[in-house]
Amino acid sequence: MLKNFFKCGLLGWCLEIIFTALGSLKKRDMRLFGRTSLWMFPIYGSLCVLAPLFKALKNFPLILRGSVYAFCIFAGEYLTGSLLRKYEACPWDYSKAPLNIDGLIRLDYAPYWFGAGLVFEKILDRH
């Protein structure tokens, strides 16, 4: 489980850095700076607890699996964001974004979480 925690934490960090760097293209910032927070490592790492879910859904259709993963990621994002916000440590604030819920999750990110869940499924399915 510890190995999977580190795999998920590192993968999450890398995906977030790439995602935020590509977001700078919208601003025409060709430096492509990517950002993350140290808090994100354990948050992404905690996705390792979904390994049994990944195995249980292995033979289900992709659309169902990705949707379940996106829902789980939204739930984790909301819970961890709520906890971190209590200590003024939440590294994200979506309150100005459309389709946000309490500034903690963005429903328009569902396709990204759908895809990320499938990527995490692949890396955790390798044992």
Side-chain angles (χ1 to χ4, degrees):
M1 171 102 94
L2 189 60
K3 183 179 175 181
N4 283 339
F5 176 83
F6 282 102
K7 284 196 308 192
C8 289
L10 286 172
L11 176 62
W13 258 356
C14 290
L15 290 173
E16 183 165 329
I17 290 168
I18 291 167
F19 182 79
T20 57
L22 292 175
S24 62
L25 286 176
K26 287 182 183 177
K27 301 172 191 168
R28 299 193 189 279
D29 181 355
M30 297 312 291
R31 295 173 298 165
L32 299 178
F33 281 117
R35 301 176 35 148
T36 192
S37 162
L38 288 175
W39 289 116
M40 297 312 295
F41 188 88
I43 292 170
Y44 288 121
S46 68
L47 285 168
C48 71
V49 301
L50 295 181
L53 179 64
F54 294 147
K55 286 181 190 230
L57 296 178
K58 188 175 185 173
N59 296 317
F60 283 80
L62 182 108
I63 190 82
L64 176 66
R65 294 191 334 263
S67 298
V68 169
Y69 304 155
F71 176 80
C72 290
I73 292 169
F74 275 140
E77 185 178 33
Y78 191 88
L79 292 172
T80 57
S82 295
L83 178 66
L84 289 170
R85 187 183 275 172
K86 286 182 183 179
Y87 298 98
E88 297 180 7
C90 188
W92 67 91
D93 179 7
Y94 299 139
S95 58
K96 295 179 182 172
L99 301 173
N100 82 82
I101 297 177
D102 297 333
L104 295 171
I105 62 173
R106 288 182 58 166
L107 297 178
D108 57 321
Y109 279 8
Y112 301 117
W113 291 135
F114 180 101
L118 295 171
V119 171
F120 282 99
E121 172 191 69
K122 289 292 180 211
I123 70 150
L124 292 178
D125 191 38
R126 292 187 174 174
H127 31 54

